[in-house]
Amino acid sequence: MAKTTKKPGSNSGSISAAPDPSGIWGGRFDVGPADIMQEINASIDFDRRLFAQDIAGSKAHAAMLTKTGIISEDDGDAIAKGLDSILGEIEGGQFEFKKALEDIHMNVESRLTELIGDAAGRLHTARSRNDQVATDLRLWVRDALDRLDGDLETLQAALIGRAEEHAATMMPGFTHLQSAQPVTLGHHLLAYVEMLGRDRGRAADCRKRLNESPLGAAALAGTSFPIDRHMTADALGFDQPMANSLDAVSDRDFVLEYLSVASILGVHLSRFAEEIVLWCSVQFAYAHMPDAYSTGSSIMPQKRNPDAAELIRAKAGSLIGALNTLLVVMKGLPLAYGKDMQEDKVPVFAAADTLSLCLAAMTGMVEGMTFDTERMRADAGAGHATATDLADWLVKELNMPFRDAHHVTGTLVKMADAASMGLHQLSLDAMQSVAPGITEAVYDVLKVEDALNSRNSFGGTSPEKVRDAVAEAKKRFLTG
Protein backbone atom coordinates (compact mmCIF):
# COMPACT_ATOMS: atom_id res chain seq x y z
CA MET A 1 0.00 0.00 0.00
CA ALA A 2 1.39 3.42 -0.95
CA LYS A 3 1.93 5.73 1.98
CA THR A 4 3.70 8.88 3.03
CA THR A 5 6.36 9.06 5.71
CA LYS A 6 5.00 10.88 8.73
CA LYS A 7 7.44 12.59 11.10
CA PRO A 8 6.60 13.00 14.76
CA GLY A 9 4.44 16.08 15.20
CA SER A 10 3.71 16.31 11.49
CA ASN A 11 0.19 17.13 10.24
CA SER A 12 0.64 15.39 6.89
CA GLY A 13 -1.72 12.48 6.42
CA SER A 14 -1.20 9.10 4.80
CA ILE A 15 -2.44 8.46 1.29
CA SER A 16 -5.77 6.68 1.19
CA ALA A 17 -5.74 3.26 -0.45
CA ALA A 18 -9.39 3.59 -1.39
CA PRO A 19 -10.39 4.56 -4.94
CA ASP A 20 -11.12 8.21 -5.61
CA PRO A 21 -14.22 8.79 -3.44
CA SER A 22 -15.61 11.53 -5.64
CA GLY A 23 -15.46 9.59 -8.87
CA ILE A 24 -14.26 12.74 -10.61
CA TRP A 25 -11.04 11.39 -12.01
CA GLY A 26 -12.39 8.23 -13.60
CA GLY A 27 -9.78 5.51 -14.17
CA ARG A 28 -6.68 7.68 -14.20
CA PHE A 29 -5.81 7.23 -10.49
CA ASP A 30 -5.52 4.06 -8.45
CA VAL A 31 -6.01 5.74 -5.08
CA GLY A 32 -7.64 8.87 -3.74
CA PRO A 33 -5.87 11.96 -2.46
CA ALA A 34 -4.03 12.26 0.83
CA ASP A 35 -6.09 13.75 3.62
CA ILE A 36 -4.17 17.02 3.49
CA MET A 37 -4.53 17.13 -0.30
CA GLN A 38 -8.25 16.68 0.04
CA GLU A 39 -8.35 19.49 2.60
CA ILE A 40 -6.40 22.01 0.50
CA ASN A 41 -8.11 21.00 -2.73
CA ALA A 42 -11.72 21.24 -1.59
CA SER A 43 -13.60 24.50 -2.16
CA ILE A 44 -17.13 23.51 -1.14
CA ASP A 45 -16.89 25.40 2.14
CA PHE A 46 -16.98 28.66 0.19
CA ASP A 47 -18.12 27.94 -3.37
CA ARG A 48 -21.42 26.50 -2.15
CA ARG A 49 -22.58 30.12 -2.46
CA LEU A 50 -22.61 29.56 -6.22
CA PHE A 51 -25.37 26.96 -5.99
CA ALA A 52 -28.13 29.01 -7.66
CA GLN A 53 -25.84 30.12 -10.48
CA ASP A 54 -24.46 26.60 -10.92
CA ILE A 55 -27.91 25.10 -11.24
CA ALA A 56 -29.06 27.85 -13.62
CA GLY A 57 -26.03 27.23 -15.83
CA SER A 58 -26.60 23.48 -15.79
CA LYS A 59 -30.26 23.88 -16.74
CA ALA A 60 -29.33 26.14 -19.65
CA HIS A 61 -26.64 23.70 -20.77
CA ALA A 62 -28.99 20.70 -20.53
CA ALA A 63 -31.70 22.53 -22.50
CA MET A 64 -29.17 23.33 -25.22
CA LEU A 65 -27.90 19.74 -25.32
CA THR A 66 -31.49 18.59 -25.76
CA LYS A 67 -32.32 21.17 -28.45
CA THR A 68 -29.25 20.27 -30.48
CA GLY A 69 -29.95 16.52 -30.18
CA ILE A 70 -26.79 15.79 -28.25
CA ILE A 71 -28.87 14.20 -25.48
CA SER A 72 -32.41 12.86 -25.57
CA GLU A 73 -35.47 14.81 -24.54
CA ASP A 74 -36.17 12.27 -21.81
CA ASP A 75 -32.73 12.75 -20.32
CA GLY A 76 -33.01 16.52 -20.67
CA ASP A 77 -36.36 16.58 -18.86
CA ALA A 78 -35.04 14.34 -16.09
CA ILE A 79 -31.99 16.54 -15.62
CA ALA A 80 -34.09 19.72 -15.45
CA LYS A 81 -36.49 18.25 -12.91
CA GLY A 82 -33.65 16.83 -10.84
CA LEU A 83 -31.86 20.18 -10.79
CA ASP A 84 -35.05 21.90 -9.64
CA SER A 85 -35.35 19.40 -6.81
CA ILE A 86 -31.74 20.05 -5.75
CA LEU A 87 -32.33 23.79 -5.79
CA GLY A 88 -35.30 23.29 -3.48
CA GLU A 89 -33.26 21.10 -1.15
CA ILE A 90 -30.45 23.66 -0.88
CA GLU A 91 -32.80 26.59 -0.37
CA GLY A 92 -34.67 24.55 2.23
CA GLY A 93 -31.51 23.66 4.14
CA GLN A 94 -31.93 19.94 3.42
CA PHE A 95 -28.93 19.42 1.16
CA GLU A 96 -25.81 17.68 2.49
CA PHE A 97 -22.63 19.29 1.17
CA LYS A 98 -19.76 16.81 1.10
CA LYS A 99 -16.13 17.91 1.21
CA ALA A 100 -15.03 14.70 -0.51
CA LEU A 101 -16.85 15.93 -3.61
CA GLU A 102 -14.62 19.03 -3.64
CA ASP A 103 -16.86 21.74 -5.03
CA ILE A 104 -20.40 22.87 -5.72
CA HIS A 105 -20.34 21.38 -9.22
CA MET A 106 -19.62 17.82 -8.13
CA ASN A 107 -21.90 18.07 -5.10
CA VAL A 108 -24.79 18.97 -7.38
CA GLU A 109 -23.89 16.35 -9.97
CA SER A 110 -23.53 13.62 -7.34
CA ARG A 111 -26.95 14.40 -5.90
CA LEU A 112 -28.42 14.55 -9.39
CA THR A 113 -27.11 11.01 -9.98
CA GLU A 114 -28.80 9.85 -6.79
CA LEU A 115 -32.08 11.37 -7.97
CA ILE A 116 -32.21 10.41 -11.67
CA GLY A 117 -29.55 7.76 -12.21
CA ASP A 118 -27.39 7.44 -15.30
CA ALA A 119 -29.01 10.36 -17.11
CA ALA A 120 -27.14 12.69 -14.76
CA GLY A 121 -23.86 11.60 -16.33
CA ARG A 122 -24.93 13.15 -19.64
CA LEU A 123 -25.14 16.66 -18.18
CA HIS A 124 -21.39 17.20 -18.34
CA THR A 125 -21.25 16.46 -22.06
CA ALA A 126 -19.45 19.26 -23.97
CA ARG A 127 -18.43 21.23 -20.92
CA SER A 128 -15.71 21.27 -18.25
CA ARG A 129 -15.60 22.48 -14.71
CA ASN A 130 -13.37 25.22 -16.14
CA ASP A 131 -16.09 26.88 -18.21
CA GLN A 132 -18.69 25.89 -15.62
CA VAL A 133 -17.05 27.78 -12.77
CA ALA A 134 -16.24 30.75 -14.99
CA THR A 135 -19.91 30.93 -15.93
CA ASP A 136 -21.10 30.53 -12.33
CA LEU A 137 -18.80 33.26 -11.08
CA ARG A 138 -19.77 35.71 -13.82
CA LEU A 139 -23.42 35.15 -12.93
CA TRP A 140 -22.69 35.61 -9.22
CA VAL A 141 -20.69 38.81 -9.70
CA ARG A 142 -23.40 40.13 -12.02
CA ASP A 143 -25.98 39.54 -9.29
CA ALA A 144 -23.66 41.17 -6.74
CA LEU A 145 -23.32 44.24 -8.94
CA ASP A 146 -27.10 44.52 -9.24
CA ARG A 147 -27.44 44.36 -5.46
CA LEU A 148 -24.65 46.89 -5.06
CA ASP A 149 -26.37 49.35 -7.38
CA GLY A 150 -29.55 49.11 -5.31
CA ASP A 151 -27.66 49.62 -2.04
CA LEU A 152 -25.81 52.61 -3.46
CA GLU A 153 -29.02 54.21 -4.65
CA THR A 154 -30.50 53.78 -1.17
CA LEU A 155 -27.51 55.55 0.38
CA GLN A 156 -27.66 58.29 -2.22
CA ALA A 157 -31.34 58.81 -1.47
CA ALA A 158 -30.55 59.23 2.22
CA LEU A 159 -27.78 61.74 1.47
CA ILE A 160 -29.92 63.68 -0.98
CA GLY A 161 -32.73 63.87 1.58
CA ARG A 162 -30.42 65.25 4.25
CA ALA A 163 -28.82 67.64 1.74
CA GLU A 164 -32.23 69.05 0.86
CA GLU A 165 -32.99 69.46 4.56
CA HIS A 166 -29.70 71.33 5.10
CA ALA A 167 -29.39 73.22 1.81
CA ALA A 168 -28.82 76.49 3.72
CA THR A 169 -27.13 75.15 6.87
CA MET A 170 -23.76 76.89 7.12
CA MET A 171 -20.59 75.08 8.07
CA PRO A 172 -16.88 75.58 7.52
CA GLY A 173 -15.32 74.11 4.42
CA PHE A 174 -11.83 72.74 4.96
CA THR A 175 -8.61 72.25 3.08
CA HIS A 176 -5.71 70.61 4.95
CA LEU A 177 -8.34 70.25 7.74
CA GLN A 178 -7.98 74.00 8.23
CA SER A 179 -10.91 76.38 7.91
CA ALA A 180 -10.97 77.57 4.30
CA GLN A 181 -14.30 78.96 3.06
CA PRO A 182 -17.87 78.68 4.29
CA VAL A 183 -20.04 76.06 2.62
CA THR A 184 -23.39 74.50 3.38
CA LEU A 185 -23.90 71.09 4.92
CA GLY A 186 -26.13 70.22 1.98
CA HIS A 187 -23.32 70.99 -0.44
CA HIS A 188 -20.93 68.85 1.60
CA LEU A 189 -23.28 65.86 1.61
CA LEU A 190 -23.93 66.18 -2.12
CA ALA A 191 -20.20 65.74 -2.73
CA TYR A 192 -20.56 62.15 -1.55
CA VAL A 193 -23.67 61.70 -3.71
CA GLU A 194 -21.49 62.51 -6.72
CA MET A 195 -18.74 60.11 -5.61
CA LEU A 196 -21.26 57.32 -5.16
CA GLY A 197 -22.72 58.14 -8.56
CA ARG A 198 -19.33 57.50 -10.16
CA ASP A 199 -19.07 54.29 -8.15
CA ARG A 200 -22.38 53.22 -9.65
CA GLY A 201 -21.07 54.12 -13.10
CA ARG A 202 -17.97 51.97 -12.57
CA ALA A 203 -20.16 49.10 -11.39
CA ALA A 204 -22.37 49.45 -14.47
CA ASP A 205 -19.32 49.43 -16.72
CA CYS A 206 -18.03 46.31 -14.97
CA ARG A 207 -21.40 44.60 -15.43
CA LYS A 208 -21.48 45.45 -19.12
CA ARG A 209 -18.00 44.06 -19.75
CA LEU A 210 -18.50 40.83 -17.79
CA ASN A 211 -21.81 40.02 -19.45
CA GLU A 212 -20.45 37.50 -21.93
CA SER A 213 -20.83 33.74 -21.53
CA PRO A 214 -17.88 31.35 -21.07
CA LEU A 215 -20.18 28.32 -21.22
CA GLY A 216 -19.22 25.96 -24.01
CA ALA A 217 -15.54 26.90 -23.97
CA ALA A 218 -15.09 23.53 -22.17
CA ALA A 219 -11.66 22.91 -20.67
CA LEU A 220 -9.81 25.42 -22.87
CA ALA A 221 -10.23 24.57 -26.57
CA GLY A 222 -13.97 24.37 -27.15
CA THR A 223 -15.68 21.09 -28.06
CA SER A 224 -16.31 18.85 -31.04
CA PHE A 225 -19.99 18.49 -30.12
CA PRO A 226 -22.41 20.64 -32.19
CA ILE A 227 -23.34 22.94 -29.30
CA ASP A 228 -25.14 26.27 -29.58
CA ARG A 229 -23.29 28.74 -27.35
CA HIS A 230 -25.58 31.61 -28.35
CA MET A 231 -28.56 29.65 -27.02
CA THR A 232 -27.00 29.18 -23.57
CA ALA A 233 -25.80 32.78 -23.51
CA ASP A 234 -29.33 34.03 -24.21
CA ALA A 235 -30.84 31.69 -21.64
CA LEU A 236 -28.54 33.05 -18.92
CA GLY A 237 -29.03 36.70 -19.83
CA PHE A 238 -25.59 37.20 -21.34
CA ASP A 239 -25.19 39.55 -24.29
CA GLN A 240 -23.16 37.00 -26.27
CA PRO A 241 -20.72 34.10 -25.86
CA MET A 242 -17.07 34.92 -25.24
CA ALA A 243 -15.14 34.89 -28.50
CA ASN A 244 -12.07 32.92 -27.41
CA SER A 245 -12.22 29.67 -25.47
CA LEU A 246 -8.80 30.16 -23.83
CA ASP A 247 -9.77 33.61 -22.60
CA ALA A 248 -13.19 32.39 -21.48
CA VAL A 249 -11.85 29.90 -18.94
CA SER A 250 -8.65 31.61 -17.85
CA ASP A 251 -9.24 35.30 -17.18
CA ARG A 252 -10.66 36.80 -14.04
CA ASP A 253 -10.42 40.45 -15.02
CA PHE A 254 -14.15 40.81 -14.34
CA VAL A 255 -13.53 39.84 -10.71
CA LEU A 256 -10.56 42.20 -10.52
CA GLU A 257 -12.72 44.98 -11.91
CA TYR A 258 -15.45 44.24 -9.37
CA LEU A 259 -12.88 44.34 -6.58
CA SER A 260 -11.50 47.60 -8.00
CA VAL A 261 -14.99 49.08 -7.86
CA ALA A 262 -15.30 47.80 -4.30
CA SER A 263 -11.95 49.27 -3.28
CA ILE A 264 -12.67 52.74 -4.67
CA LEU A 265 -16.11 52.69 -3.08
CA GLY A 266 -14.52 51.57 0.18
CA VAL A 267 -12.20 54.58 0.06
CA HIS A 268 -15.17 56.92 -0.46
CA LEU A 269 -17.03 55.38 2.45
CA SER A 270 -13.92 55.52 4.60
CA ARG A 271 -13.41 59.24 3.93
CA PHE A 272 -16.99 60.02 4.88
CA ALA A 273 -16.70 57.77 7.94
CA GLU A 274 -13.62 59.71 9.05
CA GLU A 275 -15.54 62.97 8.78
CA ILE A 276 -18.37 61.51 10.84
CA VAL A 277 -15.85 60.49 13.51
CA LEU A 278 -14.51 64.06 13.57
CA TRP A 279 -17.95 65.66 13.57
CA CYS A 280 -19.05 63.51 16.52
CA SER A 281 -16.03 64.47 18.64
CA VAL A 282 -16.37 66.96 21.49
CA GLN A 283 -13.86 69.18 19.71
CA PHE A 284 -16.04 69.52 16.59
CA ALA A 285 -19.47 68.71 18.05
CA TYR A 286 -21.16 69.12 14.66
CA ALA A 287 -23.07 65.84 14.70
CA HIS A 288 -24.72 63.49 17.16
CA MET A 289 -24.88 59.80 16.37
CA PRO A 290 -28.00 57.88 17.43
CA ASP A 291 -27.59 55.24 20.12
CA ALA A 292 -28.23 52.50 17.56
CA TYR A 293 -24.91 53.29 15.84
CA SER A 294 -22.83 54.17 18.89
CA THR A 295 -21.13 52.23 21.68
CA GLY A 296 -19.89 53.07 25.14
CA SER A 297 -16.77 52.38 27.15
CA SER A 298 -16.18 49.63 29.69
CA ILE A 299 -14.40 52.07 32.00
CA MET A 300 -15.43 55.63 30.98
CA PRO A 301 -19.17 56.09 31.51
CA GLN A 302 -19.32 59.39 29.62
CA LYS A 303 -18.11 57.97 26.29
CA ARG A 304 -20.17 57.77 23.09
CA ASN A 305 -18.03 56.15 20.44
CA PRO A 306 -19.02 56.32 16.74
CA ASP A 307 -17.88 52.73 16.27
CA ALA A 308 -19.98 52.04 13.17
CA ALA A 309 -18.16 54.84 11.35
CA GLU A 310 -14.79 53.69 12.66
CA LEU A 311 -15.40 50.14 11.45
CA ILE A 312 -16.44 51.34 8.00
CA ARG A 313 -13.24 53.39 7.92
CA ALA A 314 -11.23 50.26 8.73
CA LYS A 315 -13.03 47.90 6.35
CA ALA A 316 -11.73 49.81 3.36
CA GLY A 317 -8.48 48.02 4.13
CA SER A 318 -10.04 44.59 3.69
CA LEU A 319 -11.57 45.64 0.36
CA ILE A 320 -8.23 46.90 -0.91
CA GLY A 321 -6.63 43.72 0.44
CA ALA A 322 -9.11 41.57 -1.49
CA LEU A 323 -8.12 43.31 -4.72
CA ASN A 324 -4.43 42.93 -3.97
CA THR A 325 -4.91 39.25 -3.12
CA LEU A 326 -6.41 38.39 -6.49
CA LEU A 327 -3.99 40.60 -8.42
CA VAL A 328 -1.14 38.60 -6.92
CA VAL A 329 -2.89 35.28 -7.62
CA MET A 330 -3.41 36.16 -11.29
CA LYS A 331 -0.24 38.05 -12.13
CA GLY A 332 1.93 35.15 -13.34
CA LEU A 333 -0.50 32.50 -14.56
CA PRO A 334 0.06 31.08 -18.05
CA LEU A 335 -2.97 30.23 -20.16
CA ALA A 336 -5.32 28.58 -19.65
CA TYR A 337 -6.74 27.46 -16.31
CA GLY A 338 -4.70 26.96 -13.14
CA LYS A 339 -5.95 25.69 -9.79
CA ASP A 340 -4.74 29.01 -8.37
CA MET A 341 -7.99 30.47 -9.69
CA GLN A 342 -9.93 28.54 -7.09
CA GLU A 343 -8.73 31.29 -4.73
CA ASP A 344 -10.69 33.96 -6.64
CA LYS A 345 -13.91 33.30 -4.77
CA VAL A 346 -12.85 33.95 -1.18
CA PRO A 347 -11.91 37.61 -1.75
CA VAL A 348 -14.90 38.36 -3.96
CA PHE A 349 -17.40 36.84 -1.52
CA ALA A 350 -15.75 38.64 1.40
CA ALA A 351 -15.78 41.96 -0.46
CA ALA A 352 -19.45 41.63 -1.37
CA ASP A 353 -20.38 40.88 2.25
CA THR A 354 -18.28 43.80 3.49
CA LEU A 355 -19.84 46.25 1.05
CA SER A 356 -23.36 45.17 1.92
CA LEU A 357 -22.69 45.63 5.63
CA CYS A 358 -20.91 48.98 5.25
CA LEU A 359 -23.55 50.48 2.97
CA ALA A 360 -26.38 49.44 5.28
CA ALA A 361 -24.58 50.91 8.30
CA MET A 362 -23.70 54.13 6.49
CA THR A 363 -27.28 54.59 5.31
CA GLY A 364 -28.52 54.13 8.87
CA MET A 365 -26.04 56.68 10.19
CA VAL A 366 -26.92 59.25 7.52
CA GLU A 367 -30.62 58.88 8.22
CA GLY A 368 -30.21 58.99 12.02
CA MET A 369 -27.57 61.69 12.56
CA THR A 370 -28.59 65.02 13.99
CA PHE A 371 -26.57 68.21 13.54
CA ASP A 372 -25.73 71.13 15.80
CA THR A 373 -26.44 73.81 13.24
CA GLU A 374 -25.59 76.67 15.61
CA ARG A 375 -22.15 75.22 16.30
CA MET A 376 -21.53 74.75 12.61
CA ARG A 377 -22.73 78.27 11.85
CA ALA A 378 -20.39 79.72 14.48
CA ASP A 379 -17.42 77.90 12.96
CA ALA A 380 -18.31 78.80 9.38
CA GLY A 381 -16.66 82.20 9.67
CA ALA A 382 -13.72 81.12 11.81
CA GLY A 383 -10.16 81.37 10.56
CA HIS A 384 -10.88 84.38 8.33
CA ALA A 385 -13.02 82.20 6.07
CA THR A 386 -14.16 85.20 4.00
CA ALA A 387 -10.61 86.30 3.10
CA THR A 388 -10.97 85.02 -0.47
CA ASP A 389 -14.17 87.03 -0.80
CA LEU A 390 -12.23 90.14 0.25
CA ALA A 391 -9.58 89.43 -2.39
CA ASP A 392 -12.27 88.92 -5.04
CA TRP A 393 -13.91 92.22 -3.99
CA LEU A 394 -10.62 94.09 -4.44
CA VAL A 395 -10.33 92.64 -7.95
CA LYS A 396 -13.89 93.51 -8.93
CA GLU A 397 -14.27 96.89 -7.22
CA LEU A 398 -10.75 98.34 -7.36
CA ASN A 399 -9.62 96.63 -10.58
CA MET A 400 -6.67 95.21 -8.68
CA PRO A 401 -4.73 92.28 -10.18
CA PHE A 402 -5.57 89.16 -8.20
CA ARG A 403 -1.98 88.62 -7.03
CA ASP A 404 -1.94 92.15 -5.62
CA ALA A 405 -5.35 91.60 -4.05
CA HIS A 406 -4.07 88.36 -2.52
CA HIS A 407 -1.12 90.25 -0.99
CA VAL A 408 -3.33 93.05 0.38
CA THR A 409 -5.74 90.55 1.90
CA GLY A 410 -2.88 88.59 3.48
CA THR A 411 -1.62 91.82 5.07
CA LEU A 412 -5.09 92.54 6.47
CA VAL A 413 -5.35 88.98 7.82
CA LYS A 414 -2.03 89.45 9.61
CA MET A 415 -3.31 92.74 11.02
CA ALA A 416 -6.53 91.07 12.26
CA ASP A 417 -4.56 88.23 13.84
CA ALA A 418 -2.33 90.69 15.68
CA ALA A 419 -5.41 92.39 17.09
CA SER A 420 -7.11 89.03 17.88
CA MET A 421 -10.14 89.89 15.78
CA GLY A 422 -11.86 88.83 12.59
CA LEU A 423 -11.50 90.60 9.25
CA HIS A 424 -14.99 91.99 9.57
CA GLN A 425 -13.98 93.65 12.86
CA LEU A 426 -11.13 95.69 11.37
CA SER A 427 -11.93 99.38 11.10
CA LEU A 428 -12.23 101.05 7.73
CA ASP A 429 -9.26 103.26 8.60
CA ALA A 430 -7.14 100.20 9.29
CA MET A 431 -8.11 98.66 5.96
CA GLN A 432 -7.49 101.88 4.07
CA SER A 433 -4.02 102.09 5.58
CA VAL A 434 -3.20 99.06 3.44
CA ALA A 435 -5.42 99.79 0.41
CA PRO A 436 -6.76 103.37 0.32
CA GLY A 437 -9.49 102.57 -2.20
CA ILE A 438 -11.40 100.29 0.17
CA THR A 439 -14.89 101.59 1.05
CA GLU A 440 -17.65 100.71 3.53
CA ALA A 441 -19.08 98.36 0.91
CA VAL A 442 -16.35 95.87 1.74
CA TYR A 443 -18.14 94.83 4.92
CA ASP A 444 -20.95 93.27 2.88
CA VAL A 445 -18.60 90.61 1.48
CA LEU A 446 -17.08 89.90 4.88
CA LYS A 447 -20.37 88.52 6.22
CA VAL A 448 -20.54 84.74 6.10
CA GLU A 449 -24.09 84.78 4.72
CA ASP A 450 -23.13 87.08 1.88
CA ALA A 451 -20.01 85.07 1.09
CA LEU A 452 -22.11 81.90 0.96
CA ASN A 453 -24.85 83.40 -1.19
CA SER A 454 -22.30 84.76 -3.65
CA ARG A 455 -21.08 81.27 -4.60
CA ASN A 456 -23.59 81.02 -7.44
CA SER A 457 -21.40 79.38 -10.05
CA PHE A 458 -22.50 76.00 -11.38
CA GLY A 459 -21.72 73.41 -8.72
CA GLY A 460 -21.27 76.11 -6.11
CA THR A 461 -22.30 76.11 -2.47
CA SER A 462 -24.93 78.85 -2.35
CA PRO A 463 -28.23 77.57 -0.93
CA GLU A 464 -29.88 78.34 -4.26
CA LYS A 465 -27.38 76.23 -6.17
CA VAL A 466 -27.56 73.46 -3.57
CA ARG A 467 -31.34 73.25 -3.99
CA ASP A 468 -30.87 73.11 -7.76
CA ALA A 469 -28.28 70.36 -7.31
CA VAL A 470 -30.63 68.38 -5.07
CA ALA A 471 -33.34 68.49 -7.74
CA GLU A 472 -30.89 67.37 -10.42
CA ALA A 473 -29.46 64.61 -8.22
CA LYS A 474 -32.94 63.19 -7.73
CA LYS A 475 -33.39 63.03 -11.51
CA ARG A 476 -29.95 61.58 -12.20
CA PHE A 477 -29.65 59.00 -9.46
CA LEU A 478 -33.03 58.02 -7.99
CA THR A 479 -35.45 55.72 -9.74
CA GLY A 480 -38.32 56.02 -7.28
Side-chain angles (χ1 to χ4, degrees), residues 200-212:
R200 290 179 71 184
R202 277 182 282 270
D205 289 343
C206 176
R207 191 191 193 284
K208 181 178 180 181
R209 269 185 289 276
L210 73 75
N211 205 38
E212 295 182 349

Side-chain angles (χ1 to χ4, degrees), residues 318-356:
S318 65
L319 295 170
I320 296 167
L323 172 60
N324 286 337
T325 294
L326 191 55
L327 284 169
V328 173
V329 167
M330 296 299 300
K331 71 174 181 62
L333 295 186
L335 296 180
Y337 181 83
K339 192 69 170 183
D340 315 53
M341 292 183 206
Q342 181 169 291
E343 296 301 307
D344 58 2
K345 297 163 201 65
V346 173
V348 76
F349 293 158
D353 291 344
T354 296
L355 283 180
S356 179

Side-chain angles (χ1 to χ4, degrees), residues 14 16 59 86 117 121 160 214 239 274 298 307 349 370-371 460:
S14 61
S16 169
K59 290 182 67 175
I86 294 169
I160 291 169
D239 295 329
E274 167 65 3
S298 63
D307 279 6
F349 293 158
T370 56
F371 298 96

Side-chain angles (χ1 to χ4, degrees), residues 31-74:
V31 297
D35 292 342
I36 195 65
M37 178 59 192
Q38 186 172 329
E39 187 69 24
I40 196 174
N41 193 48
S43 60
I44 190 60
D45 287 344
F46 51 86
D47 72 13
R48 67 177 63 188
R49 293 178 64 158
L50 296 172
F51 74 88
Q53 291 77 20
D54 191 71
I55 289 172
S58 290
K59 290 182 67 175
H61 186 67
M64 180 275 296
L65 293 176
T66 302
K67 182 73 178 294
T68 55
I70 296 172
I71 66 174
S72 70
E73 289 189 10
D74 287 345

Side-chain angles (χ1 to χ4, degrees), residues 65-319:
L65 293 176
T66 302
K67 182 73 178 294
T68 55
I70 296 172
I71 66 174
S72 70
E73 289 189 10
D74 287 345
D75 285 344
D77 289 343
I79 289 170
K81 290 175 183 176
L83 290 170
D84 284 338
S85 295
I86 294 169
L87 180 62
E89 289 177 0
I90 297 175
E91 290 178 338
Q94 301 164 330
F95 188 91
E96 181 186 359
F97 293 99
K98 299 174 182 177
K99 183 166 285 192
L101 296 175
E102 288 192 15
D103 55 32
I104 185 61
H105 322 300
M106 296 312 301
N107 268 266
V108 170
E109 185 174 322
S110 175
R111 178 59 178 150
L112 186 64
T113 301
E114 292 174 357
L115 291 174
I116 68 171
D118 290 344
R122 302 190 184 280
L123 174 59
H124 209 54
T125 305
R127 76 172 182 185
S128 162
R129 284 193 297 175
N130 293 355
D131 62 333
Q132 189 177 358
V133 71
T135 302
D136 292 357
L137 194 54
R138 280 179 184 266
L139 291 171
W140 195 94
V141 172
R142 190 177 71 184
D143 291 342
L145 286 165
D146 290 342
R147 291 191 299 271
L148 178 60
D149 186 72
D151 290 344
L152 283 170
E153 183 179 346
T154 299
L155 177 53
Q156 283 182 302
L159 287 165
I160 291 169
R162 300 311 302 271
E164 185 171 28
E165 178 185 350
H166 291 284
T169 298
M170 284 181 268
M171 69 173 293
F174 298 96
T175 61
H176 308 278
L177 204 56
Q178 304 296 311
S179 182
Q181 291 180 312
V183 296
T184 70
L185 176 57
H187 189 63
H188 194 110
L189 296 176
L190 286 176
Y192 286 101
V193 172
E194 294 297 325
M195 294 179 210
L196 297 176
R198 291 191 295 275
D199 290 323
R200 290 179 71 184
R202 277 182 282 270
D205 289 343
C206 176
R207 191 191 193 284
K208 181 178 180 181
R209 269 185 289 276
L210 73 75
N211 205 38
E212 295 182 349
S213 175
L215 194 57
L220 75 162
T223 178
S224 61
F225 288 96
I227 62 172
D228 184 343
R229 292 189 63 208
H230 288 84
M231 178 180 172
T232 52
D234 288 343
L236 294 170
F238 288 115
D239 295 329
Q240 60 196 26
M242 295 184 73
N244 184 282
S245 60
L246 285 166
D247 176 49
V249 300
S250 68
D251 206 356
R252 294 296 184 269
D253 58 353
F254 68 98
V255 184
L256 290 170
E257 190 169 1
Y258 172 77
L259 293 175
S260 298
V261 170
S263 297
I264 296 170
L265 170 55
V267 169
H268 286 156
L269 294 176
S270 182
R271 294 184 71 184
F272 189 28
E274 167 65 3
E275 293 196 311
I276 291 172
V277 171
L278 290 173
W279 292 352
C280 289
S281 69
V282 173
Q283 287 71 28
F284 274 77
Y286 292 170
H288 180 84
M289 192 65 64
D291 289 351
Y293 292 94
S294 304
T295 65
S297 165
S298 63
I299 189 172
M300 296 171 284
Q302 83 281 10
K303 292 295 294 296
R304 285 180 57 86
N305 299 323
D307 279 6
E310 293 173 30
L311 289 166
I312 290 172
R313 183 176 60 185
K315 286 182 183 296
S318 65
L319 295 170

Side-chain angles (χ1 to χ4, degrees), residues 460-474:
T461 191
S462 73
E464 177 187 354
K465 288 300 179 184
V466 171
R467 292 187 183 97
D468 289 345
V470 164
E472 285 300 312
K474 289 179 180 179

